[in-house]
Amino acid sequence: MTKRTPIIAGNWKMHNTLAESAALIEGLTKNFENKQNAEVIVAPSYTSLAKVAELCKGTAIEVATQDVHWEDKGAFTSAVSPVQAKDAGATHTIIGHSERRSVFGDTDEILNKKVAAALRHGLTVIFCVGETLEEREANKTLSVIEGQLEGGLKGFTEEQLKGLIIAYEPVWAIGTGKTATPQQAQEVHAAIRKYLAGKYSDAFAQATRILYGGSVKDSNVDEIMAQEDVDGALVGGQSLIAEKFRRIINFN
Ligand code: PGA
């Protein structure tokens, strides 16, 4: 069985001024403890990106953007390109977060182009998938997720996708305080791994880290991380509180 390095990633969403971002990084890095040797990633908003990347230099924390545009440059008011993201210090980018899908209308086709752009510039992709409550209740969870993977990753070879990170985030669990049970998470994670093995190879499936996201807290991270196919967490709300996020990084 492949040993996968766990990843704890914080998605700051539209939070934190420059000063708040700096304070949060200071709170995270002071006497930094990382019992599980997890890869730690934070995704600040664009305005804080360069500053956070600067502050994280020489620490064990890597920096991601929350999204990226599919073009390198051009007339795309308000968008940020993978070139700019890298220039500001990002090594990773989240793509396909459910808020991008539902609030900003990112379709599978758009996400596919964004994945291509990120890969073209060597940004590691954290690709998010997840079902709504209605879809879960209609027993469509696995087919929805398979469709999202199929659409978003269409056309890439296993070689191109090497290093890909997948985040399973049930929409009904994001920001609601409702977490999937460890069993529900494990079931979907195992299904994603099986899909990857079928579509690519067993080696690829075994090497790919699959994170769980949706109301991960200091109080539930241990049982979620104990699941065999859960390789990490994508944390929203609690990643904004240094003390909580530090506890999540040091899950048991
Ligand atoms: P949450 O957000 O932890 O606040 O539920 C997770 C996410 O949206 O990535």
Side-chain angles (χ1 to χ4, degrees):
M1 170 120 310
T2 322
K3 174 108 178 60
R4 294 180 290 269
T5 304
I7 297 176
I8 303 294
N11 176 8
W12 293 2
K13 307 192 180 184
M14 200 173 70
H15 292 285
N16 289 341
T17 59
L18 281 169
E20 287 162 348
S21 300
L24 182 48
I25 293 301
E26 199 197 327
L28 287 179
T29 51
K30 209 159 96 194
N31 304 321
F32 188 68
E33 219 198 326
N34 189 354
K35 285 194 284 201
Q36 306 292 348
N37 280 321
E39 219 179 301
V40 178
I41 303 168
V42 294
S45 36
Y46 293 126
T47 52
S48 293
L49 185 63
K51 169 112 184 170
V52 167
E54 190 62 39
L55 292 171
C56 289
K57 243 184 222 156
T59 74
I61 302 177
E62 299 170 295
V63 180
T65 46
Q66 299 171 12
D67 183 41
V68 82
H69 195 265
W70 61 83
E71 293 289 350
D72 294 356
K73 59 178 167 183
F76 298 100
T77 300
S78 91
V80 169
S81 84
V83 177
Q84 295 171 313
K86 276 200 84 171
D87 181 51
T91 51
H92 294 64
T93 182
I94 298 171
I95 292 180
H97 189 278
S98 79
E99 285 145 24
R100 289 293 325 171
R101 293 176 188 265
S102 66
V103 183
F104 299 97
D106 279 10
T107 60
D108 288 338
E109 202 186 356
I110 288 172
L111 297 175
N112 188 243
K113 293 202 284 181
K114 290 183 171 183
V115 171
L119 295 178
R120 194 161 70 232
H121 293 286
L123 284 168
T124 300
V125 173
I126 304 172
F127 189 74
C128 302
V129 295
E131 83 287 1
T132 62
L133 187 57
E134 276 145 54
E135 289 162 343
R136 172 161 283 268
E137 284 173 347
N139 267 325
K140 290 188 188 150
T141 299
L142 299 183
S143 63
V144 164
I145 285 160
E146 199 161 304
Q148 291 171 336
L149 290 170
E150 208 43 61
L153 306 179
K154 194 169 161 182
F156 304 114
T157 63
E158 168 177 343
E159 191 50 37
Q160 288 171 307
L161 293 176
K162 199 165 173 236
L164 172 76
I165 299 162
I166 292 173
Y168 167 55
E169 300 203 299
V171 178
W172 48 272
I174 296 177
T176 58
K178 250 194 239 170
T179 323
T181 64
Q183 293 70 29
Q184 284 172 323
Q186 168 57 27
E187 187 194 1
V188 176
H189 283 228
I192 293 173
R193 207 175 300 288
K194 193 168 158 208
Y195 166 85
L196 296 176
K199 177 94 185 169
Y200 306 100
S201 71
D202 199 46
F204 179 76
Q206 288 303 324
T208 301
R209 268 92 51 90
I210 307 172
L211 318 184
Y212 169 79
S215 299
V216 173
K217 309 183 197 62
D218 55 345
S219 56
N220 61 22
V221 66
D222 298 342
E223 53 178 14
I224 291 168
M225 289 303 298
Q227 302 305 307
E228 187 178 338
D229 287 291
V230 176
D231 306 313
L234 181 52
V235 187
Q238 288 227 326
S239 73
L240 299 170
I241 308 162
E243 191 191 311
K244 302 276 186 192
F245 195 55
R246 289 174 69 123
R247 170 62 182 85
I248 293 171
I249 293 167
N250 290 289
F251 64 91
N252 285 314

